[in-house]
Amino acid sequence: DVKVTQSSRYLVKRTGEKVFLECVQDMDHENMFWYRQDPGLGLRLIYFSYDVKMKEKGDIPEGYSVSREKKERFSLILESASTNQTSMYLCASTAWGEADSGNTIYFGEGSWLTVV
Amino acid sequence: GDSVTQMEGPVTLSEEAFLTINCTYTATGYPSLFWYVQYPGEGLQLLLKATKADDKGSNKGFEATYRKETTSFHLEKGSVQVSDSAVYFCALGGNTNAGKSTFGDGTTLTVKP
């Protein structure tokens, strides 16, 4: 069974703390993503990576960074957490393929982060 | 750029009612189309997909047909159950090899017994 695992389901952090959200996939996928999900705003892409050590900004990268040192692991870093980063964070992965190849995106269960 | 417009929610239905959630898209080329479902407290998972015009995707009693002429991919189910209560997302497949997809805003469905 394919799996995207997010290390923490629920976190509570203080303003100004450095926060790491970890994601591991076991499908040997090249592409990995971090999304943020907020009520009424749908899914917003923060960063994505199409290869080890490669990263691209998504739609809302400000206040975030990422790390991909190994193919199976993609980390989201909040350098200095703020209350407006309280949200649900979703990691996802998909195989590299031809454009419009119809590759399914696989999601983790989400990490609920509260910044107080 | 690519975009997806979904029917606004929330949608509330009684059990065994017919469901339609509208989805239209704007895209260059001929993208694959997807419906993902998110059950309470979980991540998204694939419900069904179609990779070319006139294809019908189906799963768990849900269906959607890729209509190029109307740029639509409406989700339908003939008889919904309480367990279908979830958020449904329409999505365009990535138009690059990196697979970056475009998602609609999601439609919340509540089915009452």
Side-chain angles (χ1 to χ4, degrees):
Chain A
D1 203 12
V2 297
K3 214 158 175 65
V4 178
T5 303
Q6 295 184 228
S7 56
S8 305
R9 289 301 307 273
Y10 303 96
L11 307 92
V12 179
K13 298 293 181 181
R14 295 196 181 277
T15 301
E17 275 193 76
K18 191 168 186 175
V19 180
F20 293 86
L21 299 180
E22 307 286 347
C23 174
V24 176
Q25 51 94 3
D26 65 0
M27 296 163 281
D28 202 35
H29 283 165
E30 291 80 7
N31 304 318
M32 296 189 74
F33 310 84
W34 276 105
Y35 290 92
R36 172 175 172 161
Q37 185 177 18
D38 299 288
L41 295 177
L43 292 175
R44 293 184 289 170
L45 182 64
I46 304 172
Y47 268 97
F48 67 102
S49 168
Y50 52 88
D51 200 354
V52 174
K53 296 191 185 296
M54 303 302 289
K55 61 185 179 185
E56 294 279 346
K57 292 181 180 179
D59 301 317
I60 53 163
E62 296 79 18
Y64 304 93
S65 62
V66 290
S67 172
R68 189 149 181 220
E69 296 296 318
K70 294 185 177 181
K71 188 176 185 181
E72 67 271 19
R73 187 179 297 270
F74 192 36
S75 302
L76 180 69
I77 303 155
L78 288 66
E79 294 288 344
S80 177
S82 64
T83 54
N84 63 11
Q85 293 178 308
T86 291
S87 187
M88 159 102 129
Y89 291 88
L90 286 165
C91 177
S93 73
T94 189
W96 182 271
E98 293 183 6
D100 302 331
S101 61
N103 287 332
T104 297
I105 297 178
Y106 295 89
F107 286 84
E109 291 196 329
S111 298
W112 290 92
L113 172 66
T114 301
V115 182
V116 297
Chain B
D2 294 352
S3 67
V4 175
T5 303
Q6 269 184 250
M7 172 176 155
E8 282 192 30
V11 174
T12 302
L13 295 173
S14 297
E15 210 165 19
E16 299 184 3
F18 184 85
L19 168 72
T20 300
I21 300 178
N22 290 339
C23 172
T24 56
Y25 67 90
T26 302
T28 53
Y30 304 102
S32 297
L33 300 174
F34 300 79
W35 278 100
Y36 288 88
V37 59
Q38 183 179 33
Y39 298 105
E42 299 183 10
L44 283 72
Q45 59 185 272
L46 178 69
L47 180 59
L48 53 85
K49 69 180 183 183
T51 57
K52 61 182 187 295
D54 300 324
D55 267 4
K56 178 187 281 188
S58 61
N59 186 26
K60 298 181 181 179
F62 291 89
E63 292 184 341
T65 301
Y66 190 156
R67 302 280 189 205
K68 191 175 74 172
E69 64 277 10
T70 55
T71 60
S72 64
F73 193 53
H74 304 322
L75 182 68
E76 296 182 337
K77 187 174 185 181
S79 175
V80 293
Q81 305 300 312
V82 172
S83 57
D84 293 327
S85 297
V87 183
Y88 293 82
F89 291 88
C90 185
L92 295 179
N95 60 1
T96 67
N97 300 75
K100 189 163 82 75
S101 292
T102 301
F103 287 87
D105 288 342
T107 301
T108 301
L109 170 66
T110 302
V111 180
K112 298 193 170 181

